[in-house]
Amino acid sequence: MQTQKMQGLAARVRPHNVGFTASCGRGRQFSTRLYIAASSSTMQVTTTAMPDFMPSAVADITEPSAQQMARRMRRAPVPVDTLGTTINTAFVGPSPDQAKQYPPDAPAIVLLHSFDSSCLEFRRLVPLLEAVLPTYAVDLVGWGFTDHTPFQSNTSLSIGPEVKREHLRRFITQQLGGRPVVLVGTSLGGAIALDFALNHKELVSKLVLVDAQAFIDGIGRMSQLPRWMAVAGVQLLKTEWLRQQANLVAYRDKERYATKDALRVGRLHTYLPGWLEANVAFMRSGGYSLSKRVKEVGVETLVLWGRNDEILDPKYATRFQEELPNGRLVWVEQCGHSPHLEQPQFMAQQVLEFVGVAAGAEVEKELVRVGQ
C-alpha cells in the first residue's frame, strides 16, 4: 500500500510554494519550495519505456515503486582517469531542465547504496526527498546498473576507494550544477560517503550515515584469494539462496519486507554483463579501512541507525556518536539494517530536518500523505 501511494503522489498535487528557508551548512541559507510537479517527467514516469540496459528479469518485479525507479534510470558518461576509461554511469535524478525548477541555491541530496546493490534500494525514499530537494541516487563504478563491460575486457583492473572516490567526484561536478551536496550513505555506502567527505571537504556540506560500515576495516583475506577462488565467491553472491538470507537479516519486519519480490529487486543488477568481473575487481582492492579516521570527519553528520539491526551491531552507532566531532545519532525504531526501505517516511523527515528544511505543515502534510 505504501509504494502505491508513493507512486500516485504526482497525480494528486500541483506545484505550490511553501515559503520557508533552510540551512545547507557552513552558515548558508536558501529559500525553497515544495517541488511536486504533476506535469514534470520527474514524477510522471509510468509510461516511460525501460532503459535498454535493464535486464529482462525486471518484468518479474511487481512493486510499483521499483518499476518506476527502473524506468527512470538513465546512464551518463563519466570519465575516470584512474581507470583510463569513461564509465557509463547509471543514476536516477532530475534532468538539467527539471533541476532548474528547484531554487538555484538549494542543496542536492546524493544517495549511495550498500555493497553489491543498486540505486533501486532507494525506490521508497527518493519520491519523498525529491518532493522538496533535487535528489540523485547513483550506482558507483563496479556496482548496480552502471556499465561493467570495461572489467570484462581488462580483468587486471581494480576498483578501490580512490577509483570510487574519483568517479563520485566526477559525477557530482558533472551532474549537480555546483549545488552544495548532502551526501547520504547506507551500510558500505556510508564508508564511501565518509571516505569522500575526508578527501573532498569542499564538496560536502552535510553527511548522513545510515547503519554505516566504518569500523570494520577491509575485506580480510578475500582480497588475497587466487582469482579462481574470488570468482567462485562472487558467483555465490548471485544465488537466490544467499540473497534471501541477506534479505531476511536486513529487516525487522521480515514477513512484510523480506519477500520474493524484494529478492528479485536486490538481485536484478547481477544479470548485467561484467557484474562478476566488476565485483572481483572490488575484492582485489581490499576495500575500505576508515576506523582510525572517523574522528577526522569535521562536516556536520547525522547518524541514523535501525534499533533492530541484525547485520551491524548497534554498538557501532554509539561509537559514531562518540567519535564524530560534529555528529548526532538518531535511532530508527521498529527497524532493521535498512531504514530507507523499512521506515522511509521517518528517514525522509530526519534528513530534511537535518538539512534545515523546516517547512512545517505543507511539507509534513505531503510526507504523511505519501507514507500512509
Side-chain angles (χ1 to χ4, degrees):
M1 180 65 71
Q2 184 182 56
T3 55
Q4 290 175 332
K5 297 222 173 172
M6 289 163 66
Q7 182 186 28
L9 176 62
R12 291 196 303 267
V13 294
R14 298 285 173 184
H16 57 282
N17 289 328
V18 172
F20 63 91
T21 61
S23 168
C24 61
R26 297 176 182 153
R28 296 177 61 188
Q29 285 195 329
F30 63 93
S31 59
T32 189
R33 65 185 176 85
L34 184 62
Y35 174 74
I36 307 174
S39 61
S40 168
S41 59
T42 299
M43 293 297 179
Q44 286 191 342
V45 295
T46 53
T47 59
T48 304
M50 282 291 174
D52 58 8
F53 57 81
M54 193 63 60
S56 60
V58 69
D60 299 327
I61 293 171
T62 60
E63 183 178 337
S65 61
Q67 285 283 337
Q68 256 195 359
M69 191 88 160
R71 286 188 171 89
R72 291 183 59 184
M73 206 176 297
R74 64 188 190 275
R75 282 176 172 172
V78 177
V80 182
D81 293 342
T82 47
L83 291 175
T85 190
T86 294
I87 299 296
N88 288 317
T89 303
F91 72 102
V92 172
S95 69
D97 285 342
Q98 291 160 354
K100 290 176 183 176
Q101 298 184 55
Y102 296 94
D105 54 347
I109 297 176
V110 177
L111 304 170
L112 304 177
H113 62 71
S114 58
F115 169 72
D116 187 33
S117 183
S118 78
C119 59
L120 290 181
E121 257 192 44
F122 299 110
R123 58 193 181 273
R124 299 168 192 162
L125 182 66
V126 165
L128 296 166
L129 295 176
E130 70 181 357
V132 183
L133 295 173
T135 301
Y136 301 78
V138 58
D139 286 343
L140 290 185
V141 56
W143 289 335
F145 297 92
T146 286
D147 182 26
H148 308 316
T149 55
F151 306 99
Q152 280 184 308
S153 56
N154 186 352
T155 58
S156 68
L157 292 174
S158 174
I159 308 175
E162 68 285 352
V163 174
K164 288 188 182 287
R165 190 188 311 139
E166 184 196 355
H167 186 219
L168 179 56
R169 178 182 62 81
R170 291 290 189 113
F171 176 83
I172 286 173
T173 56
Q174 179 177 302
Q175 294 293 329
L176 271 61
R179 292 180 184 273
V181 176
V182 179
L183 200 55
V184 181
T186 67
S187 196
L188 189 58
I192 298 172
L194 274 167
D195 176 77
F196 191 82
L198 283 165
N199 288 278
H200 293 292
K201 300 179 180 68
E202 75 285 359
L203 291 178
V204 181
S205 64
K206 292 193 177 186
L207 187 63
V208 181
L209 304 177
V210 186
D211 291 73
Q213 202 287 86
F215 295 111
I216 303 171
D217 288 337
I219 57 176
R221 289 180 295 176
M222 292 178 66
S223 63
Q224 301 170 3
L225 292 175
R227 181 173 176 80
W228 69 268
M229 290 185 68
V231 167
V234 171
Q235 286 175 328
L236 185 62
L237 288 175
K238 189 175 181 177
T239 63
E240 187 170 325
W241 177 84
L242 188 61
R243 289 277 167 175
Q244 184 58 15
Q245 300 313 302
N247 216 11
L248 288 168
V249 296
Y251 301 106
R252 176 188 176 275
D253 189 342
K254 304 177 193 310
E255 183 177 354
R256 181 177 182 183
Y257 293 109
T259 63
K260 287 285 188 182
D261 201 54
L263 184 150
R264 295 185 195 103
V265 174
R267 195 169 172 236
L268 183 63
H269 65 282
T270 68
Y271 293 102
L272 261 65
W275 167 83
L276 186 149
E277 290 83 1
N279 270 276
V280 171
F282 174 72
M283 288 174 58
R284 286 165 50 89
S285 77
Y288 287 81
S289 296
L290 295 167
S291 63
K292 296 180 180 179
R293 300 200 63 194
V294 173
K295 296 177 182 179
E296 301 173 28
V297 179
V299 67
E300 188 177 356
T301 304
L302 171 65
V303 177
L304 295 173
W305 207 277
R307 182 76 74 174
N308 310 104
D309 192 335
E310 297 177 29
I311 294 178
L312 290 176
D313 194 314
K315 71 181 181 183
Y316 293 125
T318 54
R319 188 170 170 186
F320 271 122
Q321 189 176 34
E322 292 166 358
E323 296 197 16
L324 285 168
N326 198 11
R328 177 167 64 92
L329 170 63
V330 174
W331 292 100
V332 186
E333 304 296 342
Q334 307 293 309
C335 185
H337 187 64
S338 304
H340 49 298
L341 287 166
E342 201 163 8
Q343 298 288 353
Q345 182 189 355
F346 179 82
M347 179 170 167
Q349 289 172 327
Q350 291 300 314
V351 170
L352 292 173
E353 179 182 317
F354 175 64
V355 173
V357 176
E362 289 291 350
V363 168
E364 200 167 319
K365 178 180 176 182
E366 293 305 328
L367 291 177
V368 170
R369 187 205 301 262
V370 170
Q372 288 176 339

